[in-house]
Amino acid sequence: DEIRALKAEAEAFVAETSARLARSGARAIGATTTFEQTMASLALLAAVKRQAPQTLTLLGGANVDDAMADGIAAIAPMVD
């Protein structure tokens, strides 16, 4: 039950935050990733891209370097 509650909380956070970002009218939205933040950042950028496909989405940080960057690019079509 605790895992389900945490999942629901994370999904609500992504939905609320991405909606706010999509409504902002920003031409570009960026996220960063260090340590275990990659999937959270990708989830947020994917939600923004679904709501505002014209928005340029960017990902940066320590996890976006060399081979790791290639791996992320291969699985993350939501990042421009």
Side-chain angles (χ1 to χ4, degrees):
D1 288 336
E2 185 177 341
I3 298 295
R4 285 188 183 100
L6 290 171
K7 182 179 184 280
E9 190 175 326
E11 289 171 345
F13 173 81
V14 168
E16 179 183 325
T17 303
S18 64
R20 192 175 318 144
L21 290 170
R23 285 192 311 266
S24 74
R27 293 176 57 202
I29 301 289
T32 188
T33 176
T34 304
F35 304 113
E36 294 88 19
Q37 299 165 339
T38 303
M39 293 310 294
S41 293
L42 292 176
L44 182 61
L45 293 176
V48 168
K49 190 58 100 170
R50 281 192 301 274
Q51 295 172 58
Q54 74 284 0
T55 302
L56 181 68
T57 54
L58 309 165
L59 184 67
N63 286 353
V64 186
D65 189 33
D66 292 332
M68 290 187 295
D70 294 336
I72 291 170
I75 64 164
M78 74 290 287
V79 178
D80 296 309

